[in-house]
Amino acid sequence: MAAEGRDAARFLHSQLTSDVQGLAPGASQQTALLDRGGRLQACGFLRRRTDGIELLLPTGIAASTVERLEEHVIADDVTLKTVDARRLDLALGAEAVRRVAEDDDRRFPIEIFGSRGFITWRDEELDLPLIGGDELEARRVLTGLPRWGEEVAEGVLIHETTLIDSAVSTDKGCYLGQETVAKVASGRGAARAPMLLEVIDGDTNGADLVGRGFASDRAKRRGTVLSSACWQDGVFLQASVARELRVQDRELECRFEDGPTLRVRVHSLPFLTVPEPESWARRIELQA
């Protein structure tokens, strides 16, 4: 989606959860669109340009997102439109960061999957090492990046997703749904929210548990597995769990009906984080 016009940044700042006006030209951020009750309508990544704003959205909700935003355009100089890309390529790593600094309007800088890089819709060969789909999926699960239609969907309270931490600015002014977001955050928080469960004892590959509920030895409420990943010889489950279970490094016994009993260790999301440039450079230097 593209937004152009003199009021594009101010308008989107008033509608989306992220700090659009505080974003430097050329930079990007995760963002979301809510209804007045703080429930998700869309989510994606936003890039501010000197002449407008770009939004990367799931294909299935791009048109409806434009329609929802247009309902709130009253006397603003802003034009919203969907832009179809035949192909999107993702590049991550130090070389990708170097290339994104080049003057190319079709390179969308992004922090994703615990790394930095860019997305491009230019038909070109990037000549970079390929990242396997299994590794990308594992990184998605361990960073808590939600997939539309799976971990997040229309109508879900944003506090029940990882977007409450990654896509919501607590320093900006009003936006659609802001009152509900602030009210829940100033209270006890969401009754259920995603955490990462590291399997430390038990037999599972993780994939066979997605979508299934489990009981715990620490609380009466049940949890639900949202997604799974294998990472560095370990199995991890991203799960929606009750408030009383969301304690970093707590060990739980999870019992699945007609399934295994697992011993897990609780981790906050994201489990993988984007390294600081200095530590990244040092690591590359040591590898060389």
Side-chain angles (χ1 to χ4, degrees), residues 31 50 59 70 97 114 116 124 137 172 176 200 259:
T31 193
T50 55
T59 303
E70 285 180 334
V97 172
R116 290 185 178 90
E124 62 173 333
E137 177 62 9
K172 62 179 287 186
L176 203 62
I200 56 178

Side-chain angles (χ1 to χ4, degrees), residues 144 146 151-152 158-165 190 192-196 224 226 238-241 246 267-269:
E151 290 92 352
V152 297
I158 193 170
H159 297 84
E160 298 178 351
T161 77
T162 57
L163 295 171
I164 189 62
D165 296 316
R192 305 175 68 84
M195 297 290 282
L196 196 67
T224 303
L226 303 174
Q238 188 185 137
S240 175
V241 298
R246 300 198 299 269
H267 298 281
S268 299
L269 288 164

Side-chain angles (χ1 to χ4, degrees), residues 116 274-286:
R116 290 185 178 90
V274 178
E276 293 299 322
E278 294 79 8
S279 63
W280 203 355
R282 179 60 176 163
R283 187 174 64 191
I284 294 172
E285 180 184 20
L286 292 173

Side-chain angles (χ1 to χ4, degrees), residues 1 8 24-25 57 100 108 163 186 198 231 234 242 245 257 259 276 280:
M1 188 195 96
L57 299 166
V100 81
F108 189 116
L163 295 171
S186 62
E198 179 186 6
W231 182 258
L245 300 180
E257 186 175 354
E276 293 299 322
W280 203 355

